[in-house]
Amino acid sequence: MGHKNKEGGGKKQAGGSASAAKAKAKAKAPLSSAPSSVNFNPKDVTDPLELLDMCVAALHDKSSSSATREAALASLVGALEGGVVPLDEATDGRPLVIFAVCGVSIKKGSAAPVALAREARLAYHAVGLLALTLHGGGATEILAESFPMLARALQQPPSSVDPTTVAAVLDCLAAVTFAGALGTEDAERSLKAIWGVVVCPNQSSRSAANPKQAAVTAAALLTWTFLLTTATITDAQRKADRAGWNAAVASLAGLLQADDRAVRMAAGEALAVCVELNLTQHAPRKDMEAVKARVSELAAEAGGKGAEKALLVEQKELFRQVSAYMERGERPSKALQTSSDRRKSIKVSTWAKMVQLNFLRRFLAAGFLSHVKGNKLFKESFDAGADEKSTLSIAKRKLTMKTKDKVMKMNREQAWAAKNVYCIPQGGPPESDRPEQLLKLGWH
């Protein structure tokens, strides 16, 4: 175990091949040559890449306390959240190393879900942010490597897991799928995994008895709806899977009867998106009439169900908008100011884009504006002046990165040999000296 020095920091050094050879030699150094502990003090660091190195070193250090690991992950999340870290997976080994150490924290959290829950949640968040930060194809590898573990985490019985941890898993899966999916198959696989949480066979459809279970259902609905808006579903696909979509619409309609207000609201928003995407076109008319009637009831609800009274006003406003759309085709409208002089704003006029905006603002938190201004993944649809109906699309993103994929992987292999100084056990077969071996630390 070790951490990056100047040769490993991604900055060009004098000496050319000599420096590369020196860095490679350090990468092969035995674990015992690493320092016994790492002094983690991010306040002393101003360079974002140096901060990442410090965070990774603290996470690699077996002597780090849980508090230090949490602090390192929180700093890592903050750096990635800000959207200003110049990570290039084509020439830098950091993304792979960050992904690997986050996997270790997630595994630890799974083994001790109570004691290390916050560490695991921060690691899930960091992985999602990392995927959204990379642009050359690295997110596709993150999705491929992380999906099995994320899917297994979502299959745990609702009563055995912490709702906030499940929400972190859901957000992570939605983020890495949007950033890394190469086509409809990848998106459908993740949608299916999330939908399994929404309609978990071990729970009541009304989510009445268990508030924690209701929180998980609401979180799953929000992430499922976001991911649904990014997937491109053709008329042929809708027609071919009409039975599946009709069943999904029926399940969402059933959740409008849930005792938990957050579940009802998430289900209502999901139904509005389904209508907008024409996913309800083959649903029985009587079923859709029943949905409209229930939506009208919730828009005028005086109180009653749901202990969270603070959400009542928000619920009524949401369902008034849903009702106006279902009855008269009136779409929601929103403008988010993005400059202090109020001259620039992000305008939204579709349910799909509203859902995307809400998810990104929540997931990116304080870094939302930095990402929409500087991240190519969001800039076209969410920068100030963008078409208010333009939405994020997996299909659009796929076209921009398809031609880069093979070159990116080749360059990363070359970069690894010269710049990786995070030591892993050496001396095995030739394939043990490859970047993929780092993934075994946390994800395999």
Side-chain angles (χ1 to χ4, degrees):
M1 177 178 61
H3 57 87
K4 289 189 179 226
N5 60 6
K6 291 182 180 179
E7 285 90 345
K11 296 180 181 179
K12 191 173 182 180
Q13 301 291 319
S17 59
S19 295
K22 185 177 180 182
K24 188 172 182 179
K26 286 200 172 190
K28 291 180 176 288
L31 295 179
S32 59
S33 68
S36 59
S37 63
V38 174
N39 180 25
F40 183 71
N41 189 3
K43 293 181 180 179
D44 295 339
V45 180
T46 56
D47 179 73
L49 293 178
E50 186 179 347
L51 175 60
L52 293 185
D53 293 343
M54 179 180 284
C55 292
V56 170
L59 292 169
H60 249 303
D61 187 359
K62 292 182 179 180
S63 66
S64 293
S65 66
S66 59
T68 297
R69 295 177 64 83
E70 286 183 14
L73 281 164
S75 294
L76 180 60
V77 166
L80 295 172
E81 211 173 57
V84 295
V85 181
L87 284 176
D88 182 358
E89 68 268 43
T91 59
D92 193 340
R94 285 186 183 88
L96 187 65
V97 176
I98 292 171
F99 178 58
V101 295
C102 285
V104 173
S105 289
I106 289 170
K107 272 191 173 180
K108 287 186 175 183
S110 299
V114 177
L116 300 177
R118 184 168 185 268
E119 179 177 337
R121 289 196 295 270
L122 287 167
Y124 282 123
H125 198 175
V127 170
L129 290 168
L130 179 64
L132 294 175
T133 302
L134 303 179
H135 310 303
T140 299
E141 295 180 70
I142 288 178
L143 174 60
E145 296 291 346
S146 65
F147 179 82
M149 185 184 290
L150 296 175
R152 286 195 300 271
L154 294 179
Q155 292 170 357
Q156 300 297 318
S159 59
S160 67
V161 290
D162 174 52
T164 54
T165 300
V166 179
V169 179
L170 290 162
D171 284 347
C172 178
L173 180 56
V176 299
T177 300
F178 167 65
L182 285 179
T184 305
E185 298 79 8
D186 290 335
E188 288 180 347
R189 181 180 63 170
S190 294
L191 283 167
K192 183 177 180 181
I194 297 172
W195 187 251
V197 180
V198 175
V199 294
C200 177
N202 296 324
Q203 69 182 21
S204 164
S205 63
R206 300 184 68 179
S207 303
N210 191 337
K212 291 184 177 180
Q213 190 171 287
V216 169
T217 301
L221 282 168
L222 292 175
T223 50
W224 181 83
T225 307
F226 163 74
L227 200 52
L228 180 65
T229 65
T230 69
T232 303
I233 303 172
T234 65
D235 289 337
Q237 290 171 325
R238 283 190 286 267
K239 187 175 182 180
D241 195 24
R242 67 172 70 183
W245 287 115
N246 287 352
V249 170
S251 295
L252 293 172
L255 289 171
L256 293 179
Q257 304 292 339
D259 290 330
D260 186 87
R261 186 163 280 132
V263 171
R264 298 200 296 268
M265 292 171 64
E269 189 174 64
L271 281 165
V273 168
C274 286
V275 172
E276 187 172 74
L277 298 180
N278 292 324
L279 299 176
T280 60
Q281 62 181 338
H282 299 297
R285 176 175 291 184
K286 64 177 183 178
D287 291 354
M288 292 309 299
E289 290 300 324
V291 167
K292 291 178 182 179
R294 178 57 179 158
V295 166
S296 296
E297 290 177 5
L298 293 171
E301 184 180 11
K305 290 183 181 179
E308 186 55 66
K309 302 298 183 183
L311 281 177
L312 177 59
V313 174
E314 188 177 344
Q315 174 195 283
K316 292 171 71 173
E317 178 58 28
L318 171 68
F319 281 103
R320 283 171 186 158
Q321 291 181 327
V322 175
S323 180
Y325 178 59
M326 289 185 172
E327 296 288 351
R328 302 183 296 278
E330 296 179 9
R331 297 177 186 270
S333 179
K334 184 175 183 178
L336 177 67
Q337 301 295 330
T338 59
S339 62
S340 57
D341 60 8
R342 297 181 175 272
R343 293 183 179 181
K344 295 181 179 180
S345 63
I346 299 172
K347 295 182 179 180
V348 177
S349 63
T350 67
W351 280 103
K353 191 163 185 175
M354 182 77 77
V355 165
Q356 292 181 358
L357 177 65
N358 291 339
F359 177 85
L360 292 175
R361 289 184 70 189
R362 176 171 57 82
F363 189 73
L364 297 173
F368 171 73
L369 290 180
S370 296
H371 273 272
V372 297
K373 291 178 180 179
N375 191 330
K376 293 180 181 178
L377 202 59
F378 311 122
K379 192 174 180 66
E380 181 181 347
S381 296
F382 281 95
D383 198 8
D387 184 346
E388 58 193 68
K389 294 184 179 180
S390 174
T391 56
L392 302 173
S393 166
I394 287 173
K396 290 179 184 177
R397 183 197 44 73
K398 177 183 175 182
L399 291 175
T400 64
M401 60 165 283
K402 190 173 182 180
T403 58
K404 302 179 183 178
D405 203 27
K406 289 185 178 180
V407 175
M408 182 278 301
K409 289 184 179 181
M410 185 182 298
N411 288 345
R412 280 184 69 218
E413 295 284 351
Q414 295 170 353
W416 179 266
K419 297 181 179 179
N420 176 57
V421 293
Y422 291 97
C423 300
I424 56 176
Q426 303 294 327
E431 60 269 19
S432 68
D433 190 23
R434 296 176 66 83
E436 287 76 8
Q437 289 300 301
L438 258 182
L439 298 175
K440 291 186 177 181
L441 296 175
W443 296 97
H444 292 176

